[in-house]
Amino acid sequence: MHVEKTKLFELMKNKFVKAGVNEKTANAMAEVLVWADHRGIHSHGAVRVEYYAERIAKGGITNSPEYKFEKTGPSSAVLDADNGAGHEAARYAMERAIEIAEENGVAVVGIKHMSHSGALGYFTEMAAKQNMVALSVCQSDPMVVPFGGTEAYFGTNPIAFSAPSNDNRIITFDMATTVQAWGKVLDARSKGEKIPDTWAVDKNGAPTTDSKDVHALVPVAGPKGYGLMMMVDVLSGSLLGLPFGKHVSSMYHDLTKGRDLGQLHIVINPRYFTEIEVFKKQISTMLDELKEQPAAPGYGEIYYPGERGLLRAKKYDEAGGIEIVDDIYEYLISDDIHYDRFHGKNKFAE
Ligand code: NAI
């Protein structure tokens, strides 16, 4: 089912308001979720609404958060988000980071005590639209083994990066540091399908193809992804004085409490390092050259990071709306807020 973008936005916003947050927060949440769905990042779009609504209704996302924003140096700042919605907090912090980088060349802004913020590329793109380069990283709940391990320690700790070109293209590289999202394993489970042996491990830490046997996910590219997820945890957890590693709060365990998560934005103003127009032109040339590269058999063409999302968005616009799973649409148009499905579940929402 295809749902027109503004209609989807309204449906999501109304749910969040009904669940208890103020209109401004609901707007920010819906905007980031629609951004993700529009680009085909469905793991971080409408599928999450019911969970967020339950968490809001149970008090685990502060309805009208009181932010404390502190400039801690010429280029650094920390936002205490009062365990409000991460989407709104991360957006607010990125707006401040862009202002600081405009004035001082670089900004490093941490957000502490926030809830889940969704797809991180939304925030780094905000900076690229203002001719800045941005990186954003955040913690998530533990469900990944350290390389060679048997028990989950880190989360799927994502990294996003955006940079502007001198045409309307923006590079947005935005990934979890795991091979696959847990949602893909759940999907295989529900269909009784096997999974590739590169996605996850069983309780002995051995690769498994049995989706029902999955005990934890694995880092992308073995020890390298493990190092990256550790880096993300240090930058968005310990650096902000927050819980780290396996101590990061679970998404589903207790929906009545704030999650105390962290995120870090790093924004660089290219003007302080080089000629901005030369920089942007070079990014455009890079993308042109990549698009001209010959594709290997079976690949069709070379894409730059973020390009496939934009192509998906174009397809959805041509189709008159974003593709949304029927069950999710039924929930969105219903009067129900949530069905008590998530509170008290384990790390895999089971
Ligand atoms: P993915 O695997 O779909 O894509 C990762 C990156 O690879 C993207 O930048 C994409 O543009 C690029 N890409 C994919 N196929 C490509 C191709 N053929 N050619 C060139 N580039 C290509 O993303 P993943 O890892 O599933 O993450 C999805 C979303 O989940 C992200 O938005 C991430 O921020 C979010 N996330 C959020 C978390 C949170 O706690 N807030 C936790 C984990 C992920």
Side-chain angles (χ1 to χ4, degrees):
M1 129 103 50
H2 287 87
V3 185
E4 206 269 315
K5 219 169 102 181
T6 48
K7 179 171 183 194
L8 185 61
F9 175 88
E10 287 299 321
L11 288 170
M12 289 182 181
K13 191 188 98 177
N14 291 342
K15 282 283 181 215
F16 297 140
V17 170
K18 266 194 184 171
V21 290
N22 64 46
E23 187 122 346
K24 193 165 138 283
T25 300
N27 271 323
M29 294 180 79
E31 184 168 319
V32 179
L33 297 185
V34 170
W35 180 91
D37 269 329
H38 193 215
R39 278 156 185 75
I41 310 173
H42 295 298
S43 56
H44 287 73
V47 70
R48 304 271 175 158
V49 174
E50 192 194 332
Y51 157 73
Y52 290 136
E54 185 174 336
R55 186 160 208 115
I56 292 166
K58 290 195 157 80
I61 291 178
T62 308
N63 287 350
S64 289
E66 288 183 19
Y67 288 172
K68 288 193 195 90
F69 183 78
E70 191 190 350
K71 264 308 269 313
T72 52
S75 291
S76 57
V78 178
L79 170 68
D80 184 328
D82 191 22
N83 275 317
H87 315 83
E88 187 183 22
R91 193 173 74 169
Y92 176 89
M94 183 53 87
E95 284 164 356
R96 300 290 80 76
I98 292 167
E99 286 166 9
I100 294 170
E102 195 65 71
E103 209 170 299
N104 294 322
V106 180
V108 182
V109 177
I111 308 136
K112 59 182 183 181
H113 306 302
M114 61 169 218
S115 208
H116 190 250
S117 67
L120 299 199
Y122 173 89
F123 310 107
T124 52
E125 269 195 25
M126 284 173 65
K129 285 178 184 158
Q130 303 299 321
N131 291 322
M132 307 265 177
V133 175
L135 259 173
S136 189
V137 295
C138 80
Q139 301 179 299
S140 75
D141 34 331
M143 56 169 71
V144 191
V145 286
F147 181 66
T150 59
E151 292 304 321
Y153 189 85
F154 288 118
T156 57
N157 299 1
I159 301 175
F161 166 84
S162 292
S165 68
N166 76 342
D167 47 62
N168 56 9
R169 293 173 295 180
I170 289 175
I171 302 172
T172 294
F173 176 58
D174 179 19
M175 64 159 222
T177 46
T178 41
V179 175
Q180 276 301 354
W182 173 244
K184 301 253 173 74
V185 178
L186 267 190
D187 193 39
R189 260 188 196 183
S190 66
K191 295 174 184 156
E193 288 173 359
K194 289 202 170 307
I195 56 169
D197 64 0
T198 49
W199 288 13
V201 290
D202 64 17
K203 62 179 175 12
N204 300 313
T208 182
T209 57
D210 184 343
S211 53
K212 294 197 172 54
D213 236 16
V214 170
H215 182 61
L217 300 175
V218 295
V220 65
K224 300 179 185 180
Y226 164 49
L228 283 175
M229 61 180 56
M230 174 188 277
M231 178 191 83
V232 169
D233 194 74
V234 170
L235 290 175
S236 56
S238 301
L239 192 68
L240 302 170
L242 294 171
F244 61 95
K246 68 175 184 178
H247 311 286
V248 172
S249 66
S250 151
M251 186 167 294
Y252 307 115
H253 176 64
D254 185 352
L255 270 68
T256 67
K257 288 197 179 127
R259 291 204 58 200
D260 293 315
L261 295 175
Q263 183 159 344
L264 191 83
H265 298 321
I266 300 175
V267 177
I268 302 167
N269 186 342
R271 284 189 187 84
Y272 284 71
F273 298 87
T274 185
E275 293 281 327
I276 179 75
E277 290 311 321
V278 174
F279 172 76
K280 284 166 59 182
K281 176 82 182 73
Q282 207 168 98
I283 300 287
S284 288
T285 305
M286 181 195 285
L287 299 184
D288 290 341
E289 288 178 358
L290 285 168
K291 293 305 294 178
E292 285 161 11
Q293 289 274 312
Y299 282 87
E301 65 179 285
I302 308 286
Y303 297 98
Y304 63 86
E307 184 182 8
R308 285 157 60 97
L310 292 177
L311 293 172
R312 183 69 61 89
K314 195 161 165 262
K315 276 200 179 138
Y316 283 155
D317 291 344
E318 285 161 4
I322 298 171
E323 196 169 354
I324 298 295
V325 173
D326 288 352
D327 285 355
I328 295 176
Y329 182 70
E330 291 305 321
Y331 161 70
L332 288 175
I333 59 169
S334 74
D335 287 333
D336 299 325
I337 305 298
H338 64 85
Y339 306 122
D340 278 314
R341 281 185 38 206
F342 295 103
H343 180 75
K345 295 283 164 63
N346 71 10
K347 60 178 178 281
F348 298 134
E350 291 168 320

